[in-house]
Amino acid sequence: MTDAVLLAACRTAIGTARRGTLRDTSAFDLATVVVREAVRRSGLPLDLIDDVVLGETLAGGGDIARYAALEAGLTHVPGLAHNRHCASGLASVATAAAGVLAGMDRAVVAGGTQSSSTNPQARRRIPGTDDWQDPWSSPSHAPTREAPNDDMATLVGWNTARLTGISRQDMDSWALRSHQRAVRAIDDGRFVDEIVPVEVTDRSGGVSVFDTDEHPRRDTSIEKLAALKVLRPETEGYSITAGNSSGVNDGSAAVVVASSEVAARHGLTPLATVRSWASVGVDPVETGLAPIAAIRKALDRAGLRIEDVDLFEINEAFAAVAVAATRELGLDPERVNPFGSGCSLGHPIAATGTRMIVTLAHELRRRGGGTAVAAMCAGGGMGSAMVLTV
């Protein structure tokens, strides 16, 4: 039986939205960069690529995957737009692996792209009236006071902290550690092999190369984090701040998923093997707890236990999410988010899931093998996880 293996994995550096280096680079251009580079790194002939699947949350409802396929010279390849909110990039890799394991695809480019700096704005006519709601975002669930659609800090961060007894200090301490680990990883060159440089033209016409994550804060401290105002001061006990939340970011990531038989036939060495994946639904109030169930389900499908896993990345959409999962699952904190995550590296929404896979695959190779789990929550009460081995 064939395995679904990664033949290439790359990403852009992550930019800070609206004021960072990628503020004028579209999701289309970001996608093209990583799709083209992932195919090049894979070593596969172009005619073996059967599809391109990209997460493109909040991108306007088009099909950036097909756009990127054409720009990358894959004229014969269709494209699929994936939207599982924050888990879209992870879902794209799962969809690619499923096609390969089913014997329907030989190789698929999968990933995600996000330009929060240039996201289009939607509007709609309010039903029963001639009035327009502007801006408007498509809801993931029927909103309630405890689970609002338009307030992720409450839906995910505050609910998670409130339901699990996580304090402001717990979250700030986790966020500080996230920044420290991300900065150390950058300084140690941990991300160099996975990052594909992006050529950026600024508004004055100057050209530069963007190849280093710019969101981590070198100068942050527990005192600075503690001094930040909470986002909803009108709510008693509220503890979510910009400091213990993920960033708003730009970036893209892509992998090439192929069958192990195709890899062997072409003399190619896989980066990693996709062992299993799982997605779950929970009450929207418990969105931030969904990664817990997803991790358990994915590990069960792989026939593995928590103790078998060398590395976890649990996306810090809010620090509370990673803290809650670490405590509930009894994880060794030293194995969780060793190079930072959403609070520090940032959260380019549709790309984050694939970015996590890219980083974990490269780190497992660097370590000479092992098992890793990527997991995250997604708006509306969803969670996803994937297991990789090297």
Side-chain angles (χ1 to χ4, degrees):
M1 180 178 175
T2 193
D3 289 323
V5 299
L6 304 185
L7 291 182
C10 64
R11 68 175 179 95
T12 67
I14 299 171
T16 300
R18 294 187 286 276
R19 55 188 175 85
T21 307
L22 297 177
R23 64 177 178 164
D24 293 319
T25 305
S26 73
F28 298 86
D29 290 338
L30 290 171
T32 299
V33 167
V34 293
V35 168
R36 182 184 287 129
E37 179 65 9
V39 172
R40 187 194 70 78
R41 291 187 183 194
S42 75
L44 285 174
L46 296 188
D47 61 4
L48 289 182
I49 306 295
D50 289 317
D51 209 348
V52 177
V53 185
L54 294 182
E56 55 167 81
T57 303
L58 302 176
D63 191 349
I64 298 177
R66 173 59 177 165
Y67 181 100
L70 288 169
E71 291 298 297
L74 301 170
T75 308
H76 68 287
V77 177
L80 175 63
H82 237 317
N83 184 358
R84 187 167 268 157
H85 296 321
C86 294
S88 296
L90 207 56
S92 71
V93 181
T95 295
V100 166
L101 291 173
M104 296 294 103
D105 294 315
R106 296 162 298 179
V108 177
V109 183
T113 185
Q114 183 76 33
S115 175
S116 296
S117 293
T118 65
N119 275 345
Q121 296 292 314
R123 66 194 295 255
R124 71 158 187 170
R125 186 179 60 79
I126 301 171
T129 76
D130 291 324
D131 298 327
W132 288 83
Q133 183 177 346
D134 184 10
W136 174 79
S137 295
S138 180
S140 58
H141 61 281
T144 64
R145 183 166 177 253
E146 293 76 22
N149 265 301
D150 58 353
D151 180 4
M152 290 297 108
T154 293
L155 174 66
V156 181
W158 173 233
N159 282 347
T160 303
R162 178 176 57 83
L163 292 171
T164 58
I166 295 172
S167 70
R168 165 77 182 268
Q169 184 176 8
D170 293 333
M171 292 184 285
D172 286 351
S173 295
W174 187 279
L176 175 62
R177 189 190 74 159
S178 181
H179 283 281
Q180 291 172 336
R181 289 185 166 196
V183 169
R184 184 165 63 245
I186 291 169
D187 291 347
D188 290 346
R190 293 280 186 171
F191 302 136
V192 171
D193 291 342
E194 67 193 58
I195 290 178
V196 50
V198 180
E199 192 172 275
V200 178
T201 302
D202 63 31
R203 295 180 182 185
S204 64
V207 178
S208 62
V209 174
F210 181 57
D211 60 5
T212 304
D213 299 310
E214 67 183 5
H215 198 71
R217 293 180 177 272
R218 293 178 176 273
D219 62 347
T220 195
S221 65
I222 198 66
E223 292 78 18
K224 289 182 178 180
L225 290 168
L228 294 173
K229 295 179 179 179
V230 299
L231 299 178
R232 298 289 179 269
E234 69 277 7
T235 301
E236 184 179 355
Y238 200 90
S239 54
I240 307 302
T241 71
N244 55 43
S245 307
S246 64
V248 181
N249 301 95
D250 305 323
S252 62
V255 300
V256 174
V257 185
S259 75
S260 54
E261 294 172 354
V262 166
R265 193 178 309 132
H266 289 269
L268 302 172
T269 301
L271 281 174
T273 298
V274 179
R275 284 287 301 274
S276 70
W277 62 88
S279 291
V280 301
V282 299
D283 188 307
V285 173
E286 299 178 355
T287 296
L289 301 177
I292 297 168
I295 289 170
R296 286 172 171 154
K297 191 172 184 178
L299 286 175
D300 183 64
R301 288 178 171 179
L304 297 171
R305 303 169 301 165
I306 291 291
E307 303 82 60
D308 299 320
V309 180
D310 301 288
L311 290 174
F312 289 87
E313 183 171 344
I314 302 168
N315 182 42
E316 298 158 355
F318 297 86
V321 176
V323 174
T326 299
R327 290 181 179 178
E328 178 65 24
L329 295 170
L331 308 181
D332 177 357
E334 292 305 308
R335 297 187 179 190
V336 181
N337 300 359
F339 310 124
S341 190
C343 287
S344 54
L345 290 174
H347 182 19
I349 302 171
T352 295
T354 311
R355 197 281 304 160
M356 295 161 71
I357 294 298
V358 170
T359 298
L360 290 171
H362 279 274
E363 180 59 21
L364 289 178
R365 294 292 298 177
R366 188 179 294 110
R367 295 183 178 205
T371 299
V373 172
M376 60 204 314
C377 63
M382 297 186 287
S384 296
M386 180 170 283
V387 181
L388 294 180
T389 57
V390 171

PDB file of all heavy atoms in Angstrom, residues 101-113:
ATOM      1  N   LEU A 101      -3.795   8.799  -1.468  1.00  0.00           N
ATOM      2  CA  LEU A 101      -4.029   7.495  -0.846  1.00  0.00           C
ATOM      3  C   LEU A 101      -5.144   6.722  -1.531  1.00  0.00           C
ATOM      4  O   LEU A 101      -5.146   5.479  -1.545  1.00  0.00           O
ATOM      5  CB  LEU A 101      -4.352   7.675   0.635  1.00  0.00           C
ATOM      6  CG  LEU A 101      -3.184   8.157   1.510  1.00  0.00           C
ATOM      7  CD1 LEU A 101      -3.658   8.476   2.918  1.00  0.00           C
ATOM      8  CD2 LEU A 101      -2.082   7.098   1.551  1.00  0.00           C
ATOM      9  N   ALA A 102      -6.104   7.437  -2.117  1.00  0.00           N
ATOM     10  CA  ALA A 102      -7.194   6.776  -2.838  1.00  0.00           C
ATOM     11  C   ALA A 102      -6.762   6.286  -4.221  1.00  0.00           C
ATOM     12  O   ALA A 102      -7.516   5.587  -4.897  1.00  0.00           O
ATOM     13  CB  ALA A 102      -8.369   7.740  -2.991  1.00  0.00           C
ATOM     14  N   GLY A 103      -5.570   6.660  -4.631  1.00  0.00           N
ATOM     15  CA  GLY A 103      -5.085   6.259  -5.941  1.00  0.00           C
ATOM     16  C   GLY A 103      -5.626   7.105  -7.076  1.00  0.00           C
ATOM     17  O   GLY A 103      -5.456   6.776  -8.254  1.00  0.00           O
ATOM     18  N   MET A 104      -6.272   8.221  -6.732  1.00  0.00           N
ATOM     19  CA  MET A 104      -6.845   9.098  -7.753  1.00  0.00           C
ATOM     20  C   MET A 104      -5.848  10.144  -8.247  1.00  0.00           C
ATOM     21  O   MET A 104      -5.966  10.629  -9.364  1.00  0.00           O
ATOM     22  CB  MET A 104      -8.085   9.798  -7.200  1.00  0.00           C
ATOM     23  CG  MET A 104      -9.236   8.876  -6.838  1.00  0.00           C
ATOM     24  SD  MET A 104      -9.955   8.028  -8.290  1.00  0.00           S
ATOM     25  CE  MET A 104      -9.235   6.374  -8.105  1.00  0.00           C
ATOM     26  N   ASP A 105      -4.875  10.496  -7.411  1.00  0.00           N
ATOM     27  CA  ASP A 105      -3.882  11.501  -7.779  1.00  0.00           C
ATOM     28  C   ASP A 105      -2.480  10.948  -7.564  1.00  0.00           C
ATOM     29  O   ASP A 105      -2.236  10.203  -6.606  1.00  0.00           O
ATOM     30  CB  ASP A 105      -4.047  12.764  -6.931  1.00  0.00           C
ATOM     31  CG  ASP A 105      -5.352  13.487  -7.210  1.00  0.00           C
ATOM     32  OD1 ASP A 105      -5.694  13.648  -8.391  1.00  0.00           O
ATOM     33  OD2 ASP A 105      -6.031  13.875  -6.244  1.00  0.00           O
ATOM     34  N   ARG A 106      -1.564  11.352  -8.431  1.00  0.00           N
ATOM     35  CA  ARG A 106      -0.165  10.965  -8.267  1.00  0.00           C
ATOM     36  C   ARG A 106       0.577  11.955  -7.385  1.00  0.00           C
ATOM     37  O   ARG A 106       1.339  11.575  -6.494  1.00  0.00           O
ATOM     38  CB  ARG A 106       0.513  10.869  -9.632  1.00  0.00           C
ATOM     39  CG  ARG A 106      -0.055   9.793 -10.539  1.00  0.00           C
ATOM     40  CD  ARG A 106       0.319  10.017 -11.984  1.00  0.00           C
ATOM     41  NE  ARG A 106      -0.225  11.282 -12.507  1.00  0.00           N
ATOM     42  CZ  ARG A 106      -0.016  11.724 -13.738  1.00  0.00           C
ATOM     43  NH1 ARG A 106       0.738  11.023 -14.580  1.00  0.00           N
ATOM     44  NH2 ARG A 106      -0.537  12.869 -14.141  1.00  0.00           N
ATOM     45  N   ALA A 107       0.337  13.238  -7.633  1.00  0.00           N
ATOM     46  CA  ALA A 107       0.974  14.292  -6.840  1.00  0.00           C
ATOM     47  C   ALA A 107       0.078  15.520  -6.866  1.00  0.00           C
ATOM     48  O   ALA A 107      -0.531  15.839  -7.897  1.00  0.00           O
ATOM     49  CB  ALA A 107       2.357  14.626  -7.384  1.00  0.00           C
ATOM     50  N   VAL A 108       0.000  16.203  -5.731  1.00  0.00           N
ATOM     51  CA  VAL A 108      -0.853  17.382  -5.588  1.00  0.00           C
ATOM     52  C   VAL A 108      -0.087  18.459  -4.835  1.00  0.00           C
ATOM     53  O   VAL A 108       0.577  18.167  -3.830  1.00  0.00           O
ATOM     54  CB  VAL A 108      -2.149  17.039  -4.810  1.00  0.00           C
ATOM     55  CG1 VAL A 108      -3.006  18.286  -4.602  1.00  0.00           C
ATOM     56  CG2 VAL A 108      -2.940  15.954  -5.523  1.00  0.00           C
ATOM     57  N   VAL A 109      -0.166  19.681  -5.321  1.00  0.00           N
ATOM     58  CA  VAL A 109       0.352  20.821  -4.571  1.00  0.00           C
ATOM     59  C   VAL A 109      -0.751  21.284  -3.632  1.00  0.00           C
ATOM     60  O   VAL A 109      -1.887  21.494  -4.053  1.00  0.00           O
ATOM     61  CB  VAL A 109       0.760  21.976  -5.493  1.00  0.00           C
ATOM     62  CG1 VAL A 109       1.358  23.120  -4.673  1.00  0.00           C
ATOM     63  CG2 VAL A 109       1.756  21.499  -6.541  1.00  0.00           C
ATOM     64  N   ALA A 110      -0.431  21.426  -2.357  1.00  0.00           N
ATOM     65  CA  ALA A 110      -1.422  21.847  -1.360  1.00  0.00           C
ATOM     66  C   ALA A 110      -0.841  22.957  -0.507  1.00  0.00           C
ATOM     67  O   ALA A 110       0.366  22.985  -0.245  1.00  0.00           O
ATOM     68  CB  ALA A 110      -1.830  20.666  -0.476  1.00  0.00           C
ATOM     69  N   GLY A 111      -1.691  23.865  -0.067  1.00  0.00           N
ATOM     70  CA  GLY A 111      -1.181  24.949   0.759  1.00  0.00           C
ATOM     71  C   GLY A 111      -2.247  25.963   1.099  1.00  0.00           C
ATOM     72  O   GLY A 111      -3.439  25.641   1.170  1.00  0.00           O
ATOM     73  N   GLY A 112      -1.808  27.173   1.316  1.00  0.00           N
ATOM     74  CA  GLY A 112      -2.730  28.245   1.654  1.00  0.00           C
ATOM     75  C   GLY A 112      -2.069  29.584   1.434  1.00  0.00           C
ATOM     76  O   GLY A 112      -0.832  29.701   1.465  1.00  0.00           O
ATOM     77  N   THR A 113      -2.879  30.609   1.210  1.00  0.00           N
ATOM     78  CA  THR A 113      -2.351  31.936   0.964  1.00  0.00           C
ATOM     79  C   THR A 113      -3.235  32.977   1.634  1.00  0.00           C
ATOM     80  O   THR A 113      -4.461  32.849   1.636  1.00  0.00           O
ATOM     81  CB  THR A 113      -2.234  32.207  -0.557  1.00  0.00           C
ATOM     82  OG1 THR A 113      -1.604  33.458  -0.769  1.00  0.00           O
ATOM     83  CG2 THR A 113      -3.593  32.182  -1.242  1.00  0.00           C
TER      84      THR A 113
END
